[in-house]
Amino acid sequence: MGKIIRDVLLLITFSLLFFFGCETEKQKKEINEPPTPFIDRFMDVPVTNGLESNLWGRSYVLPRDAENGIESPDWAYWGGDVIKGPEGKYHMFVARWPEKQGHYPKEEERTSRIAWCTADNPEGPFTWQKDILGEIHGHNPAIIEHNGTYALYFISREGYDIALANSLEGPWTPMNLSIEGMEGWSNPAPVVRDDGSIVVVNRTPHNIYQADSLTGSYREVATNWVPEGFVDVEDQVVWREGGYYHLIANEWSRRAAFYMYSQDGINWILPSRYNAYVPGITHYENGASTLWYKIERPKVLVENGVATYIYFAVTDVAKDRNLGGDNHNDKTIAVPLSPLGSSKPRGPVSEGAYRIENSETNMVMSVIGGENEDGAPTHLRNWDNATNQRWLVTYIGNGAYRLEVTHSLEMDWQKVLSVENASMQDGASLVQQTWNDGDGEEQLWEIQENNDGTYRITNMHSGKVADITNDSIGVGPHVIQAEWDNSESQKWKFKMPISN
Protein backbone atom coordinates (compact mmCIF):
# COMPACT_ATOMS: atom_id res chain seq x y z
CA MET A 1 0.00 0.00 0.00
CA GLY A 2 2.84 2.37 0.90
CA LYS A 3 4.49 1.76 -2.48
CA ILE A 4 1.22 2.52 -4.29
CA ILE A 5 0.74 5.76 -2.35
CA ARG A 6 4.34 6.75 -3.05
CA ASP A 7 3.95 6.05 -6.79
CA VAL A 8 0.74 8.07 -6.90
CA LEU A 9 2.41 10.98 -5.12
CA LEU A 10 5.35 10.83 -7.54
CA LEU A 11 2.96 10.81 -10.50
CA ILE A 12 1.10 13.84 -9.13
CA THR A 13 4.40 15.64 -8.49
CA PHE A 14 5.72 15.03 -12.01
CA SER A 15 2.37 16.04 -13.48
CA LEU A 16 2.40 19.30 -11.55
CA LEU A 17 6.00 19.98 -12.54
CA PHE A 18 5.18 19.31 -16.18
CA PHE A 19 2.06 21.51 -16.04
CA PHE A 20 3.76 24.47 -14.39
CA GLY A 21 6.88 23.96 -16.49
CA CYS A 22 4.78 24.28 -19.65
CA GLU A 23 3.07 27.35 -18.26
CA THR A 24 6.44 28.85 -17.42
CA GLU A 25 7.70 28.25 -20.97
CA LYS A 26 4.49 29.74 -22.38
CA GLN A 27 4.81 32.80 -20.16
CA LYS A 28 8.49 33.10 -21.07
CA LYS A 29 7.61 33.11 -24.77
CA GLU A 30 4.94 35.75 -24.24
CA ILE A 31 7.26 37.94 -22.18
CA ASN A 32 10.18 37.62 -24.56
CA GLU A 33 8.31 38.22 -27.84
CA PRO A 34 9.97 41.29 -29.38
CA PRO A 35 7.84 44.42 -29.59
CA THR A 36 5.90 44.58 -32.84
CA PRO A 37 5.04 45.76 -35.39
CA PHE A 38 8.46 46.52 -36.79
CA ILE A 39 6.92 49.24 -38.95
CA ASP A 40 6.52 51.46 -35.89
CA ARG A 41 10.31 51.68 -35.55
CA PHE A 42 10.64 53.99 -38.56
CA MET A 43 11.76 57.47 -37.50
CA ASP A 44 11.66 60.73 -39.43
CA VAL A 45 14.44 61.00 -42.00
CA PRO A 46 16.96 63.78 -41.26
CA VAL A 47 17.36 66.32 -44.05
CA THR A 48 21.04 66.43 -45.03
CA ASN A 49 21.15 69.36 -47.44
CA GLY A 50 17.62 70.53 -48.08
CA LEU A 51 14.80 69.14 -50.23
CA GLU A 52 15.05 69.55 -54.00
CA SER A 53 12.41 69.43 -56.71
CA ASN A 54 14.71 69.62 -59.75
CA LEU A 55 15.42 65.89 -59.69
CA TRP A 56 14.32 62.83 -61.63
CA GLY A 57 11.06 61.19 -60.59
CA ARG A 58 7.34 61.80 -60.61
CA SER A 59 5.71 64.30 -58.27
CA TYR A 60 5.06 61.71 -55.53
CA VAL A 61 8.79 61.53 -54.70
CA LEU A 62 9.44 65.28 -54.91
CA PRO A 63 10.76 67.29 -53.28
CA ARG A 64 13.32 64.98 -51.66
CA ASP A 65 16.83 64.98 -50.24
CA ALA A 66 19.16 63.83 -53.01
CA GLU A 67 21.94 63.35 -50.45
CA ASN A 68 20.02 60.77 -48.46
CA GLY A 69 21.55 57.38 -49.23
CA ILE A 70 22.94 57.45 -52.73
CA GLU A 71 21.53 58.58 -56.07
CA SER A 72 22.74 59.85 -59.40
CA PRO A 73 21.05 60.96 -62.62
CA ASP A 74 23.49 58.76 -64.55
CA TRP A 75 23.53 55.59 -62.41
CA ALA A 76 20.95 53.27 -60.86
CA TYR A 77 21.81 52.18 -57.31
CA TRP A 78 19.88 49.15 -56.08
CA GLY A 79 19.95 47.40 -52.70
CA GLY A 80 22.82 48.84 -50.66
CA ASP A 81 24.07 47.07 -47.51
CA VAL A 82 26.00 49.18 -45.00
CA ILE A 83 28.57 48.30 -42.35
CA LYS A 84 30.53 50.61 -40.07
CA GLY A 85 34.28 50.36 -40.50
CA PRO A 86 36.88 50.35 -37.71
CA GLU A 87 37.90 53.89 -38.70
CA GLY A 88 34.35 55.17 -38.08
CA LYS A 89 33.23 55.57 -41.68
CA TYR A 90 30.18 53.87 -43.16
CA HIS A 91 30.75 51.53 -46.09
CA MET A 92 27.95 50.70 -48.52
CA PHE A 93 28.11 47.80 -50.97
CA VAL A 94 25.44 48.25 -53.61
CA ALA A 95 24.58 47.04 -57.11
CA ARG A 96 24.80 49.77 -59.75
CA TRP A 97 24.45 50.02 -63.51
CA PRO A 98 24.12 52.87 -66.04
CA GLU A 99 20.74 54.60 -65.92
CA LYS A 100 20.56 54.45 -69.73
CA GLN A 101 19.97 50.70 -69.44
CA GLY A 102 16.70 51.19 -67.54
CA HIS A 103 15.60 48.82 -64.80
CA TYR A 104 14.95 45.82 -67.02
CA PRO A 105 17.60 45.68 -69.76
CA LYS A 106 18.12 42.43 -71.59
CA GLU A 107 19.91 40.16 -69.16
CA GLU A 108 22.91 39.77 -71.42
CA GLU A 109 23.17 43.56 -71.71
CA ARG A 110 22.94 44.32 -67.99
CA THR A 111 26.21 45.48 -66.51
CA SER A 112 25.33 45.34 -62.82
CA ARG A 113 28.47 45.76 -60.72
CA ILE A 114 29.00 45.80 -56.96
CA ALA A 115 30.04 49.30 -56.00
CA TRP A 116 31.86 50.31 -52.83
CA CYS A 117 30.67 53.69 -51.52
CA THR A 118 31.52 55.53 -48.30
CA ALA A 119 30.01 58.21 -46.07
CA ASP A 120 30.77 59.95 -42.79
CA ASN A 121 27.19 59.47 -41.59
CA PRO A 122 24.81 56.50 -41.86
CA GLU A 123 22.21 58.52 -43.80
CA GLY A 124 24.80 59.63 -46.36
CA PRO A 125 25.55 61.12 -48.73
CA PHE A 126 27.47 58.06 -49.91
CA THR A 127 30.18 58.57 -52.52
CA TRP A 128 31.19 55.93 -55.05
CA GLN A 129 34.78 54.75 -54.64
CA LYS A 130 35.12 51.83 -57.06
CA ASP A 131 33.54 48.66 -58.40
CA ILE A 132 35.18 46.10 -56.14
CA LEU A 133 35.01 43.07 -58.45
CA GLY A 134 35.97 44.73 -61.71
CA GLU A 135 33.91 43.42 -64.61
CA ILE A 136 32.28 40.58 -62.63
CA HIS A 137 28.49 40.81 -62.72
CA GLY A 138 27.17 41.26 -59.18
CA HIS A 139 23.74 41.81 -57.68
CA ASN A 140 22.01 42.04 -54.27
CA PRO A 141 25.15 42.17 -52.10
CA ALA A 142 25.01 41.47 -48.35
CA ILE A 143 27.99 42.18 -46.08
CA ILE A 144 28.98 40.55 -42.76
CA GLU A 145 32.14 40.40 -40.64
CA HIS A 146 33.29 37.07 -39.19
CA ASN A 147 36.41 36.67 -37.04
CA GLY A 148 38.15 39.64 -38.65
CA THR A 149 37.25 38.70 -42.23
CA TYR A 150 34.68 40.57 -44.29
CA ALA A 151 32.39 38.45 -46.43
CA LEU A 152 30.25 39.80 -49.25
CA TYR A 153 27.49 37.43 -50.37
CA PHE A 154 25.99 38.13 -53.79
CA ILE A 155 24.60 36.59 -56.96
CA SER A 156 26.43 36.67 -60.27
CA ARG A 157 26.29 35.32 -63.79
CA GLU A 158 29.81 33.98 -63.45
CA GLY A 159 28.86 31.61 -60.63
CA TYR A 160 30.54 33.39 -57.73
CA ASP A 161 28.72 33.19 -54.38
CA ILE A 162 30.95 35.16 -52.03
CA ALA A 163 33.91 37.54 -51.94
CA LEU A 164 36.31 37.77 -48.99
CA ALA A 165 38.63 40.54 -47.80
CA ASN A 166 40.66 41.44 -44.72
CA SER A 167 39.73 45.10 -45.12
CA LEU A 168 36.60 46.90 -46.32
CA GLU A 169 38.84 48.64 -48.84
CA GLY A 170 39.76 45.26 -50.34
CA PRO A 171 41.22 43.61 -52.25
CA TRP A 172 38.29 41.22 -52.58
CA THR A 173 38.65 37.58 -53.61
CA PRO A 174 35.52 36.10 -55.23
CA MET A 175 34.85 32.36 -55.03
CA ASN A 176 32.07 29.84 -55.40
CA LEU A 177 30.84 27.72 -52.54
CA SER A 178 29.63 24.22 -51.85
CA ILE A 179 25.90 24.60 -51.08
CA GLU A 180 23.99 21.42 -50.39
CA GLY A 181 21.43 20.68 -53.10
CA MET A 182 21.92 23.98 -54.90
CA GLU A 183 24.24 25.80 -57.29
CA GLY A 184 24.55 29.44 -56.31
CA TRP A 185 22.61 31.72 -54.01
CA SER A 186 19.30 33.43 -54.71
CA ASN A 187 19.22 36.74 -52.81
CA PRO A 188 21.23 35.42 -49.86
CA ALA A 189 20.66 36.87 -46.37
CA PRO A 190 23.56 35.90 -44.06
CA VAL A 191 23.89 36.34 -40.30
CA VAL A 192 26.55 35.23 -37.81
CA ARG A 193 25.10 33.19 -34.96
CA ASP A 194 26.19 33.30 -31.32
CA ASP A 195 28.02 29.98 -31.74
CA GLY A 196 30.13 31.44 -34.57
CA SER A 197 28.38 29.54 -37.36
CA ILE A 198 26.91 31.34 -40.37
CA VAL A 199 23.27 31.01 -41.36
CA VAL A 200 22.09 32.04 -44.84
CA VAL A 201 18.38 32.47 -45.55
CA ASN A 202 17.79 31.86 -49.26
CA ARG A 203 15.08 32.97 -51.65
CA THR A 204 14.74 30.19 -54.23
CA PRO A 205 14.24 27.69 -52.78
CA HIS A 206 13.04 29.25 -49.52
CA ASN A 207 15.44 27.18 -47.46
CA ILE A 208 17.99 27.94 -44.76
CA TYR A 209 21.63 26.89 -44.91
CA GLN A 210 24.33 26.79 -42.24
CA ALA A 211 28.12 26.50 -42.27
CA ASP A 212 30.84 26.49 -39.62
CA SER A 213 33.04 28.83 -41.66
CA LEU A 214 32.62 31.45 -44.36
CA THR A 215 33.83 29.13 -47.09
CA GLY A 216 31.49 26.32 -46.10
CA SER A 217 30.35 23.85 -47.01
CA TYR A 218 26.76 25.02 -46.45
CA ARG A 219 24.26 22.38 -45.37
CA GLU A 220 20.49 22.68 -45.51
CA VAL A 221 19.05 22.98 -41.98
CA ALA A 222 15.47 24.15 -42.67
CA THR A 223 13.03 24.19 -45.58
CA ASN A 224 10.43 26.74 -46.61
CA TRP A 225 10.80 29.47 -43.98
CA VAL A 226 7.90 31.42 -45.57
CA PRO A 227 4.71 31.38 -43.41
CA GLU A 228 1.53 29.96 -44.91
CA GLY A 229 -0.53 32.47 -46.87
CA PHE A 230 2.35 34.67 -48.07
CA VAL A 231 3.15 34.74 -51.78
CA ASP A 232 5.85 36.09 -54.10
CA VAL A 233 8.29 36.39 -51.20
CA GLU A 234 11.79 37.76 -51.75
CA ASP A 235 14.33 40.30 -50.47
CA GLN A 236 14.77 38.76 -47.04
CA VAL A 237 17.21 40.33 -44.57
CA VAL A 238 18.36 38.87 -41.24
CA TRP A 239 20.11 40.48 -38.27
CA ARG A 240 20.86 39.89 -34.59
CA GLU A 241 19.53 42.35 -31.98
CA GLY A 242 18.29 42.30 -28.39
CA GLY A 243 18.84 38.60 -27.83
CA TYR A 244 16.89 37.58 -30.94
CA TYR A 245 17.33 37.09 -34.65
CA HIS A 246 15.06 39.23 -36.80
CA LEU A 247 13.88 38.73 -40.39
CA ILE A 248 12.05 40.96 -42.85
CA ALA A 249 10.86 39.75 -46.24
CA ASN A 250 8.99 41.45 -49.05
CA GLU A 251 5.85 40.31 -50.88
CA TRP A 252 6.61 42.05 -54.15
CA SER A 253 3.20 41.51 -55.80
CA ARG A 254 1.39 42.98 -52.77
CA ARG A 255 3.93 45.80 -52.18
CA ALA A 256 4.13 45.01 -48.48
CA ALA A 257 6.57 43.22 -46.19
CA PHE A 258 6.37 41.08 -43.07
CA TYR A 259 8.55 40.61 -40.00
CA MET A 260 9.49 37.46 -38.05
CA TYR A 261 11.74 36.66 -35.10
CA SER A 262 13.72 33.64 -33.94
CA GLN A 263 15.77 32.42 -31.02
CA ASP A 264 18.26 30.50 -33.18
CA GLY A 265 18.10 32.05 -36.68
CA ILE A 266 16.69 28.81 -38.09
CA ASN A 267 13.18 28.39 -36.66
CA TRP A 268 11.06 31.49 -37.21
CA ILE A 269 7.92 32.85 -35.53
CA LEU A 270 5.41 35.17 -37.19
CA PRO A 271 4.09 37.59 -34.53
CA SER A 272 0.48 38.67 -34.33
CA ARG A 273 1.33 42.11 -35.77
CA TYR A 274 3.84 41.42 -38.50
CA ASN A 275 3.74 44.53 -40.74
CA ALA A 276 7.31 45.51 -41.65
CA TYR A 277 6.95 48.25 -44.29
CA VAL A 278 4.80 49.56 -47.13
CA PRO A 279 5.32 52.35 -49.68
CA GLY A 280 4.80 55.70 -48.03
CA ILE A 281 6.64 55.05 -44.76
CA THR A 282 9.34 57.63 -45.53
CA HIS A 283 8.71 60.91 -43.68
CA TYR A 284 11.17 63.80 -43.32
CA GLU A 285 11.84 65.68 -40.10
CA ASN A 286 10.33 68.85 -41.59
CA GLY A 287 6.99 67.13 -42.20
CA ALA A 288 7.42 66.36 -45.92
CA SER A 289 7.11 62.78 -47.15
CA THR A 290 7.81 60.73 -50.26
CA LEU A 291 5.67 58.01 -51.80
CA TRP A 292 7.98 55.61 -53.63
CA TYR A 293 6.20 53.19 -55.91
CA LYS A 294 8.45 50.28 -54.93
CA ILE A 295 10.43 49.83 -51.71
CA GLU A 296 12.51 46.65 -51.86
CA ARG A 297 15.83 45.03 -50.95
CA PRO A 298 15.88 46.05 -47.24
CA LYS A 299 19.24 45.96 -45.45
CA VAL A 300 19.77 46.76 -41.77
CA LEU A 301 22.74 48.53 -40.18
CA VAL A 302 23.59 47.14 -36.72
CA GLU A 303 25.87 49.21 -34.49
CA ASN A 304 26.95 47.87 -31.10
CA GLY A 305 24.18 45.29 -31.21
CA VAL A 306 21.44 47.80 -32.09
CA ALA A 307 19.70 48.23 -35.45
CA THR A 308 20.04 51.95 -36.18
CA TYR A 309 19.22 52.35 -39.90
CA ILE A 310 17.42 50.47 -42.63
CA TYR A 311 18.29 50.89 -46.32
CA PHE A 312 15.93 50.34 -49.24
CA ALA A 313 16.17 50.12 -52.99
CA VAL A 314 13.44 52.41 -54.32
CA THR A 315 11.99 53.39 -57.67
CA ASP A 316 9.32 55.94 -58.50
CA VAL A 317 7.37 53.88 -61.07
CA ALA A 318 6.66 50.25 -61.95
CA LYS A 319 9.96 48.64 -62.91
CA ASP A 320 8.96 47.91 -66.50
CA ARG A 321 8.16 51.61 -66.95
CA ASN A 322 11.57 52.66 -65.69
CA LEU A 323 13.28 52.97 -69.07
CA GLY A 324 16.72 54.22 -69.92
CA GLY A 325 17.07 57.90 -70.67
CA ASP A 326 13.72 58.87 -69.16
CA ASN A 327 12.81 60.80 -66.01
CA HIS A 328 12.77 57.72 -63.78
CA ASN A 329 15.53 55.88 -61.97
CA ASP A 330 16.51 53.75 -58.96
CA LYS A 331 18.30 54.79 -55.78
CA THR A 332 19.07 53.54 -52.27
CA ILE A 333 17.57 55.44 -49.34
CA ALA A 334 18.42 55.44 -45.62
CA VAL A 335 15.79 55.58 -42.86
CA PRO A 336 16.65 55.74 -39.13
CA LEU A 337 15.18 53.22 -36.69
CA SER A 338 14.15 53.75 -33.09
CA PRO A 339 15.61 51.35 -30.49
CA LEU A 340 13.89 48.02 -30.01
CA GLY A 341 11.04 48.47 -27.53
CA SER A 342 10.78 52.27 -27.82
CA SER A 343 8.68 52.50 -30.98
CA LYS A 344 5.18 53.86 -31.31
CA PRO A 345 2.79 54.36 -34.25
CA ARG A 346 2.39 57.75 -35.90
CA GLY A 347 -1.36 57.64 -35.37
CA PRO A 348 -4.07 55.43 -33.86
CA VAL A 349 -3.37 52.70 -36.44
CA SER A 350 0.13 51.59 -37.38
CA GLU A 351 1.02 51.98 -41.02
CA GLY A 352 0.90 48.70 -42.91
CA ALA A 353 -1.21 46.25 -44.92
CA TYR A 354 -4.68 45.44 -43.58
CA ARG A 355 -8.08 44.02 -44.22
CA ILE A 356 -10.70 46.51 -43.02
CA GLU A 357 -13.54 44.61 -41.33
CA ASN A 358 -16.98 46.00 -40.55
CA SER A 359 -17.94 45.47 -36.91
CA GLU A 360 -21.63 44.80 -37.61
CA THR A 361 -21.22 42.26 -40.41
CA ASN A 362 -17.65 40.92 -40.00
CA MET A 363 -17.32 41.39 -43.77
CA VAL A 364 -14.45 43.37 -45.27
CA MET A 365 -14.22 46.48 -47.42
CA SER A 366 -13.72 45.39 -51.06
CA VAL A 367 -13.48 47.26 -54.36
CA ILE A 368 -15.92 45.91 -56.94
CA GLY A 369 -14.48 46.76 -60.35
CA GLY A 370 -11.25 46.86 -62.32
CA GLU A 371 -7.98 47.87 -60.77
CA ASN A 372 -7.61 50.76 -63.24
CA GLU A 373 -11.23 51.93 -63.06
CA ASP A 374 -11.79 55.29 -61.38
CA GLY A 375 -15.12 55.33 -59.56
CA ALA A 376 -15.26 51.59 -58.87
CA PRO A 377 -17.47 51.27 -55.77
CA THR A 378 -16.64 49.60 -52.47
CA HIS A 379 -18.89 46.93 -51.00
CA LEU A 380 -18.60 44.46 -48.14
CA ARG A 381 -17.62 40.93 -49.07
CA ASN A 382 -16.55 37.85 -47.15
CA TRP A 383 -12.79 37.79 -46.79
CA ASP A 384 -11.09 35.63 -49.41
CA ASN A 385 -7.57 37.16 -49.36
CA ALA A 386 -8.02 38.92 -52.70
CA THR A 387 -5.96 41.99 -53.59
CA ASN A 388 -9.13 44.08 -53.99
CA GLN A 389 -9.68 43.50 -50.24
CA ARG A 390 -6.18 44.44 -49.08
CA TRP A 391 -5.43 48.03 -48.13
CA LEU A 392 -2.09 49.77 -47.69
CA VAL A 393 -2.55 52.24 -44.85
CA THR A 394 -0.02 55.08 -44.72
CA TYR A 395 0.11 58.17 -42.56
CA ILE A 396 0.22 61.44 -44.54
CA GLY A 397 0.59 63.83 -41.61
CA ASN A 398 -1.65 66.22 -39.68
CA GLY A 399 -3.86 63.32 -38.60
CA ALA A 400 -4.55 62.15 -42.17
CA TYR A 401 -4.25 58.62 -43.58
CA ARG A 402 -4.16 57.36 -47.16
CA LEU A 403 -5.92 54.03 -47.90
CA GLU A 404 -4.69 52.39 -51.10
CA VAL A 405 -6.29 49.24 -52.47
CA THR A 406 -3.59 46.72 -53.31
CA HIS A 407 -4.94 45.55 -56.67
CA SER A 408 -3.93 48.86 -58.27
CA LEU A 409 -0.38 47.90 -59.13
CA GLU A 410 0.55 49.88 -62.24
CA MET A 411 2.12 53.35 -62.22
CA ASP A 412 -1.04 55.20 -63.20
CA TRP A 413 -3.36 52.95 -61.23
CA GLN A 414 -2.59 53.76 -57.62
CA LYS A 415 -6.19 53.79 -56.44
CA VAL A 416 -7.19 55.05 -53.03
CA LEU A 417 -10.41 55.22 -51.05
CA SER A 418 -12.26 58.43 -51.90
CA VAL A 419 -15.70 60.02 -51.66
CA GLU A 420 -17.38 59.97 -55.06
CA ASN A 421 -17.36 63.44 -56.64
CA ALA A 422 -16.07 64.92 -53.35
CA SER A 423 -19.67 64.87 -52.14
CA MET A 424 -20.68 66.37 -48.79
CA GLN A 425 -23.97 64.42 -48.69
CA ASP A 426 -25.02 61.48 -46.55
CA GLY A 427 -25.19 58.31 -48.61
CA ALA A 428 -22.45 59.29 -51.07
CA SER A 429 -20.52 56.26 -52.29
CA LEU A 430 -16.98 55.48 -51.23
CA VAL A 431 -15.08 54.58 -54.38
CA GLN A 432 -11.55 54.07 -55.63
CA GLN A 433 -9.89 57.00 -57.36
CA THR A 434 -6.41 57.69 -58.68
CA TRP A 435 -4.28 59.24 -55.95
CA ASN A 436 -4.12 63.01 -56.38
CA ASP A 437 -1.00 63.51 -54.25
CA GLY A 438 -3.05 64.80 -51.34
CA ASP A 439 -4.51 67.75 -53.26
CA GLY A 440 -8.09 66.71 -52.47
CA GLU A 441 -9.17 66.00 -48.91
CA GLU A 442 -11.86 63.64 -50.20
CA GLN A 443 -9.00 61.10 -50.41
CA LEU A 444 -7.74 61.73 -46.87
CA TRP A 445 -9.07 59.98 -43.79
CA GLU A 446 -8.85 60.42 -40.06
CA ILE A 447 -8.84 57.16 -38.11
CA GLN A 448 -10.17 57.50 -34.56
CA GLU A 449 -10.32 54.91 -31.78
CA ASN A 450 -13.70 53.98 -30.32
CA ASN A 451 -12.23 52.49 -27.12
CA ASP A 452 -13.72 49.07 -27.88
CA GLY A 453 -11.14 47.71 -30.33
CA THR A 454 -12.83 49.38 -33.30
CA TYR A 455 -12.24 52.59 -35.22
CA ARG A 456 -14.27 55.18 -37.07
CA ILE A 457 -12.96 56.25 -40.49
CA THR A 458 -13.75 59.93 -41.05
CA ASN A 459 -13.35 61.69 -44.37
CA MET A 460 -11.37 64.92 -43.93
CA HIS A 461 -13.34 66.71 -46.65
CA SER A 462 -16.92 65.96 -45.60
CA GLY A 463 -16.43 65.16 -41.92
CA LYS A 464 -18.62 62.07 -42.39
CA VAL A 465 -17.68 58.49 -41.52
CA ALA A 466 -17.54 55.23 -43.47
CA ASP A 467 -20.84 53.38 -43.11
CA ILE A 468 -22.83 50.75 -45.01
CA THR A 469 -26.27 50.49 -46.58
CA ASN A 470 -28.80 47.75 -45.97
CA ASP A 471 -29.16 47.10 -49.71
CA SER A 472 -26.67 44.41 -50.73
CA ILE A 473 -27.22 44.80 -54.53
CA GLY A 474 -26.11 41.19 -54.88
CA VAL A 475 -22.52 41.80 -53.87
CA GLY A 476 -22.75 42.75 -50.21
CA PRO A 477 -23.65 46.04 -48.47
CA HIS A 478 -22.55 49.19 -50.22
CA VAL A 479 -19.95 51.33 -48.38
CA ILE A 480 -21.04 54.96 -48.08
CA GLN A 481 -20.45 58.01 -45.90
CA ALA A 482 -22.84 59.18 -43.18
CA GLU A 483 -23.05 61.28 -40.06
CA TRP A 484 -21.51 59.58 -37.05
CA ASP A 485 -24.16 57.95 -34.82
CA ASN A 486 -22.03 55.37 -32.97
CA SER A 487 -23.77 52.42 -34.63
CA GLU A 488 -21.92 49.14 -35.20
CA SER A 489 -22.16 49.61 -38.97
CA GLN A 490 -19.87 52.66 -38.62
CA LYS A 491 -17.21 50.81 -36.63
CA TRP A 492 -14.27 49.12 -38.33
CA LYS A 493 -11.43 46.80 -37.36
CA PHE A 494 -7.98 46.89 -38.94
CA LYS A 495 -6.79 43.28 -39.07
CA MET A 496 -3.70 41.58 -40.46
CA PRO A 497 -4.45 40.13 -43.91
CA ILE A 498 -3.06 36.76 -42.82
CA SER A 499 -4.11 35.61 -39.35
CA ASN A 500 -1.79 33.30 -37.40
Side-chain angles (χ1 to χ4, degrees):
M1 178 65 69
K3 183 177 185 299
I4 294 174
I5 293 174
R6 185 184 65 191
D7 289 343
V8 170
L9 289 173
L10 284 172
L11 180 61
I12 292 173
T13 300
F14 283 125
S15 298
L16 289 172
L17 286 171
F18 177 79
F19 175 80
F20 286 111
C22 287
E23 286 299 297
T24 300
E25 286 302 311
K26 180 181 178 182
Q27 293 167 1
K28 181 179 178 182
K29 178 182 175 183
E30 290 175 349
I31 291 171
N32 289 344
E33 180 173 317
T36 55
F38 176 86
I39 199 167
D40 287 344
R41 294 185 66 181
F42 288 97
M43 299 174 64
D44 288 342
V45 179
V47 178
T48 304
N49 193 31
L51 303 183
E52 301 177 60
S53 296
N54 189 26
L55 301 168
W56 56 261
R58 60 180 184 167
S59 62
Y60 301 168
V61 299
L62 297 170
R64 69 173 181 274
D65 185 358
E67 295 194 357
N68 174 266
I70 187 168
E71 77 168 80
S72 166
D74 301 317
W75 294 89
Y77 286 94
W78 193 253
D81 198 5
V82 175
I83 188 171
K84 189 175 183 179
E87 81 293 353
K89 283 186 175 293
Y90 293 87
H91 300 254
M92 176 186 287
F93 296 88
V94 59
R96 81 165 190 163
W97 60 89
E99 185 278 333
K100 64 184 180 181
Q101 293 183 354
H103 190 90
Y104 280 136
K106 294 180 180 178
E107 185 60 28
E108 65 273 12
E109 296 177 358
R110 170 168 290 205
T111 57
S112 177
R113 303 288 183 260
I114 297 179
W116 167 46
C117 311
T118 60
D120 294 327
N121 301 295
E123 67 270 14
F126 284 85
T127 302
W128 176 83
Q129 301 296 330
K130 66 178 179 180
D131 296 340
I132 64 169
L133 300 178
E135 295 302 306
I136 293 175
H137 176 93
H139 206 59
N140 198 29
I143 182 79
I144 61 172
E145 185 271 334
H146 184 262
N147 293 333
T149 298
Y150 295 100
L152 191 73
Y153 292 73
F154 64 104
I155 54 179
S156 76
R157 285 200 298 255
E158 291 86 352
Y160 296 113
D161 306 311
I162 197 173
L164 304 179
N166 294 323
S167 167
L168 290 168
E169 298 181 4
W172 293 87
T173 303
M175 62 184 67
N176 56 10
L177 299 172
S178 172
I179 308 170
E180 183 178 278
M182 190 171 64
E183 292 186 8
W185 297 119
S186 174
N187 293 1
V191 66
V192 179
R193 296 204 329 159
D194 288 343
D195 61 7
S197 66
I198 301 97
V199 161
V200 178
V201 181
N202 196 60
R203 176 194 173 187
T204 307
H206 287 121
N207 296 341
I208 299 176
Y209 300 84
Q210 186 176 16
D212 297 323
S213 67
L214 291 170
T215 55
S217 61
Y218 287 79
R219 60 193 180 277
E220 182 184 293
V221 292
T223 60
N224 196 21
W225 52 267
V226 177
E228 184 177 355
F230 292 85
V231 299
D232 299 325
V233 174
E234 63 175 6
D235 296 352
Q236 64 281 356
V237 60
V238 184
W239 72 98
R240 178 84 165 132
E241 180 187 17
Y244 283 89
Y245 299 90
H246 307 262
L247 183 151
I248 289 174
N250 182 44
E251 287 188 286
W252 64 263
S253 62
R254 293 170 174 169
R255 295 200 300 139
F258 61 92
Y259 159 87
M260 296 195 293
Y261 70 98
S262 169
Q263 291 185 324
D264 60 8
I266 297 172
N267 301 287
W268 293 92
I269 299 169
L270 183 74
S272 56
R273 296 181 297 159
Y274 53 76
N275 276 322
Y277 62 84
V278 292
I281 49 82
T282 48
H283 307 276
Y284 287 110
E285 288 179 336
N286 65 359
S289 62
T290 53
L291 180 60
W292 295 100
Y293 179 77
K294 282 280 192 178
I295 296 185
E296 298 183 342
R297 295 285 196 272
K299 296 290 188 291
V300 174
L301 170 65
V302 178
E303 301 181 77
N304 300 318
V306 178
T308 58
Y309 268 79
I310 187 167
Y311 299 85
F312 292 108
V314 296
T315 184
D316 63 312
V317 292
K319 293 177 182 178
D320 59 357
R321 295 175 183 253
N322 184 351
L323 307 175
D326 59 10
N327 191 42
H328 309 296
N329 201 356
D330 307 302
K331 71 167 290 183
T332 291
I333 64 171
V335 183
L337 298 174
S338 65
L340 190 66
S342 67
S343 58
K344 62 180 181 179
R346 294 180 181 274
V349 172
S350 296
E351 295 179 281
Y354 291 96
R355 65 191 201 214
I356 304 176
E357 183 178 292
N358 184 261
S359 182
E360 181 178 75
T361 66
N362 295 324
M363 302 171 76
V364 299
M365 193 180 293
S366 311
V367 173
I368 308 302
E371 55 271 337
N372 63 340
E373 180 185 341
D374 272 348
T378 54
H379 291 262
L380 295 188
R381 300 289 292 269
N382 291 322
W383 171 250
D384 62 9
N385 201 17
T387 54
N388 68 319
Q389 300 177 320
R390 286 171 165 260
W391 298 85
L392 303 182
V393 177
T394 51
Y395 187 74
I396 301 300
N398 297 319
Y401 284 86
R402 171 185 186 269
L403 308 180
E404 179 189 349
V405 61
T406 311
H407 73 172
S408 59
L409 286 178
E410 294 297 329
M411 177 185 70
D412 299 323
W413 295 359
Q414 290 198 4
K415 305 299 183 184
V416 299
L417 188 67
S418 181
V419 178
E420 189 171 35
N421 298 324
S423 174
M424 301 289 289
Q425 301 301 313
D426 276 0
S429 295
L430 301 193
V431 299
Q432 72 170 12
Q433 292 284 354
T434 301
W435 173 241
N436 61 19
D437 208 10
D439 289 338
E441 287 194 330
E442 72 276 6
Q443 297 186 344
L444 301 181
W445 302 87
E446 183 180 6
I447 300 175
Q448 300 160 288
E449 294 182 83
N450 294 322
N451 299 318
D452 59 0
T454 68
Y455 300 83
R456 71 185 94 168
I457 305 173
T458 305
N459 186 259
M460 299 195 77
H461 173 67
S462 66
K464 300 183 185 298
V465 301
D467 199 349
I468 60 174
T469 64
N470 294 322
D471 184 4
S472 68
I473 321 178
V475 290
H478 189 192
V479 183
I480 60 170
Q481 69 175 8
E483 287 289 342
W484 170 249
D485 62 14
N486 200 31
S487 61
E488 288 300 309
S489 66
Q490 297 181 338
K491 297 181 179 181
W492 303 85
K493 299 175 183 178
F494 288 79
K495 291 187 173 183
M496 298 291 101
I498 304 296
S499 298
N500 60 337

